Amino acid sequence: MTKKAKLLNLPKILDVRGNLSFIEGGNHIPFEIERVYWIYDVPGGEQRGGHAFKEQHEFIVAMSGSFDVVVNNGNEEKIYHLNRSYYGLYIPCCKWRRMENFSTNSLALVIASTRYDESDYIRDFNKFKTFINERD
């Protein structure tokens, strides 16, 4: 698996009746799917996330509307603007991420490589930087 966050295109089947895209774990994204959740009804100006995972990999798709995903590797930060349902952002483990600038009625689909495990979360940025430095 790659160590960098990156945008991945999804299959896009065009049809006059409406387009279709899909995701297959291990094929379109570099992990098998263990959990899927979605974020919606985010009030204006609010952020989601603000944490990193020790093991979990994620793939985030803007199913509706738009939002930004800010990814930090401990040294630099990059912003990804998501606003289409035929591509998404792959985020490997050990990356700090937050989601912000949600448009009205936006819907973020998050596909995860692990089941929920609170012990996998790093919720303090200084602890995240320490974890990254000790890991390298």
Side-chain angles (χ1 to χ4, degrees):
M1 284 189 235
T2 182
K3 291 186 175 191
K4 292 185 178 184
K6 65 179 181 176
L7 293 172
L8 300 176
N9 289 315
L10 297 169
K12 185 171 157 183
I13 300 170
L14 304 176
D15 190 302
V16 295
R17 301 168 297 163
N19 301 329
L20 181 144
S21 290
F22 59 95
I23 301 167
E24 294 175 348
N27 187 8
H28 303 114
I29 57 176
F31 59 83
E32 293 300 324
I33 299 166
E34 283 293 323
R35 180 168 54 114
V36 176
Y37 62 95
W38 46 99
I39 299 169
Y40 57 97
D41 293 342
V42 178
E46 289 296 321
Q47 294 182 357
R48 295 297 311 231
H51 56 261
F53 295 103
K54 297 172 191 169
E55 300 295 330
Q56 180 174 290
H57 298 246
E58 291 183 319
F59 186 69
I60 303 173
V61 179
M63 298 305 289
S64 180
S66 65
F67 50 88
D68 294 331
V69 182
V70 182
V71 180
N72 189 309
N73 67 6
N75 295 315
E76 62 183 347
E77 198 167 82
K78 186 167 182 182
I79 299 172
Y80 298 87
H81 184 69
L82 300 182
N83 63 354
R84 297 284 185 256
S85 58
Y86 52 82
Y87 68 86
L89 179 63
Y90 166 67
I91 306 174
C93 65
C94 306
K95 303 292 183 257
W96 187 268
R97 67 107 164 134
R98 73 178 182 275
M99 300 163 73
E100 59 189 24
N101 298 323
F102 287 86
S103 68
T104 302
N105 296 322
S106 58
L107 170 61
L109 178 72
V110 184
I111 299 171
S113 66
T114 64
R115 294 178 184 259
Y116 176 79
D117 179 0
E118 181 60 33
S119 67
D120 191 41
Y121 284 72
I122 304 171
R123 297 186 184 273
D124 177 277
F125 189 73
N126 290 326
K127 289 180 182 176
F128 163 70
K129 288 193 78 160
T130 300
F131 178 80
I132 293 301
N133 290 332
E134 289 174 353
R135 189 175 169 161
D136 290 340

